[in-house]
Amino acid sequence: LLRSLQPDDWYKQTTAPKWVVKDVVAHLLDTNMRDIAAANNYSGTPPQNINSYQDLVDYLNELNAVWIKAMDRISPPQLTDLLETTGPQYHRYLESLSLFEKARYSVSWAGEEESENWFHIAREYTEKWHHQQQIRDAVGKSGIMHRELFYPCIDTFMRALPHTYRNVAAPEGTLIKISVSTDAGGDWFLKYQQGKWIMITNKEGNVADASVTLTPDTSWKLFTKGMTATDAIAKSQMSGDIKLTRPLFGMLSVMA
């Protein structure tokens, strides 16, 4: 993909408001480099005064901004070469992790204070997928919006649902159905049970009290801050108790 880009493609705006294509590519390199460092038990200077989720988001945003600024002096071919070099090392690190051991970093956007490595790896996949799709979207190149590659990403994103609905009360047994259309998507069910929301498979085929259907394009952009809630609502279909579907449009499956 990157070697197919024309020189002006690197400076096209992506759905990330502050980032052009080159910035997204630089961020992908940062992901590789940080995980390779972690594989060697190095994480740099630890963050200070992280007392809340917002503190963590602010810290990560600053890390990203500093890196992107430094990468301004690195050319697109250099970035591509560095991604090609670090990619295999990054993959070997992920492959070395024991799936059910405690991950170095929790998946905070899912509300977890501790996560297992399988979820960390899945989160890493969503990072790689959605940033690549930001690039493809910006330059008009298709390629990864199909079930084999899209579904694992959106299925991981949906694991933020219980945390997103944590402050929403409902009668016992209330069922919400969230669908992503086309063969690339699927159905996810959220049930209010014993004072909290849990994800279920709904094998019994119970009728949902509220339903919302998103397109694949709307879903990934909404959950990564690439589309406003207002625009996503306008592009979605809702039925049943509409107020139960509204929290979905505030869900984020990235640190933001």
Side-chain angles (χ1 to χ4, degrees), residues 93-209:
Y93 167 62
L94 294 184
E95 288 172 349
S96 74
L97 299 175
S98 179
L99 294 181
F100 299 102
E101 288 185 0
K102 179 182 173 181
R104 182 183 294 265
Y105 304 112
S106 65
V107 184
S108 299
W109 50 253
E112 294 195 353
E113 295 185 1
E114 289 187 3
S115 300
E116 294 179 337
N117 278 323
W118 68 263
F119 199 4
H120 165 65
I121 294 168
R123 182 256 310 278
E124 290 287 295
Y125 179 78
T126 67
E127 278 284 299
K128 296 295 189 183
W129 187 95
H130 97 263
H131 286 311
Q132 184 178 155
Q133 184 56 29
Q134 286 175 330
I135 297 168
R136 290 181 177 274
D137 190 66
V139 302
K141 288 183 180 288
S142 59
I144 61 173
M145 288 290 293
H146 54 79
R147 187 170 183 85
E148 180 185 6
L149 298 180
F150 171 75
Y151 183 82
C153 178
I154 197 64
D155 187 52
T156 304
F157 280 170
M158 290 296 181
R159 295 178 184 274
L161 282 168
H163 183 62
T164 300
Y165 275 78
R166 65 192 181 280
N167 295 321
V168 179
E172 180 75 9
T174 296
L175 186 67
I176 304 172
K177 178 181 179 182
I178 299 96
S179 300
V180 176
S181 62
T182 79
D183 292 341
D187 299 321
W188 292 263
F189 295 89
L190 200 57
K191 186 176 183 179
Y192 196 71
Q193 187 170 295
Q194 297 181 351
K196 64 180 182 180
W197 293 96
I198 60 171
M199 295 185 71
I200 66 167
T201 58
N202 195 28
K203 293 180 180 179
E204 299 81 10
N206 294 323
V207 176
D209 299 283

Side-chain angles (χ1 to χ4, degrees), residues 208-225:
D209 299 283
S211 300
V212 57
T213 300
L214 313 171
T215 66
D217 189 63
T218 298
S219 63
W220 81 262
K221 288 179 179 175
L222 174 65
F223 301 146
T224 61
K225 291 191 74 174

Side-chain angles (χ1 to χ4, degrees), residues 17-86:
K18 296 182 179 180
W19 287 358
V20 297
V21 167
K22 183 173 181 285
D23 299 328
V24 174
V25 175
H27 176 67
L28 286 168
L29 176 63
D30 186 22
T31 302
N32 286 3
M33 298 292 281
R34 277 193 270 175
D35 271 13
I36 293 168
N40 293 297
N41 296 312
Y42 183 80
S43 58
T45 303
Q48 304 296 316
N49 301 317
I50 305 297
N51 300 311
S52 67
Y53 181 84
Q54 189 58 51
D55 287 343
L56 179 58
V57 169
D58 292 343
Y59 167 73
L60 293 174
N61 284 341
E62 177 65 16
L63 277 187
N64 291 336
V66 169
W67 178 272
I68 296 300
K69 185 176 181 180
M71 290 298 101
D72 180 58
R73 71 195 70 169
I74 304 299
S75 72
Q78 285 177 296
L79 285 174
T80 305
D81 289 344
L82 287 167
L83 275 171
E84 192 170 55
T85 299
T86 58

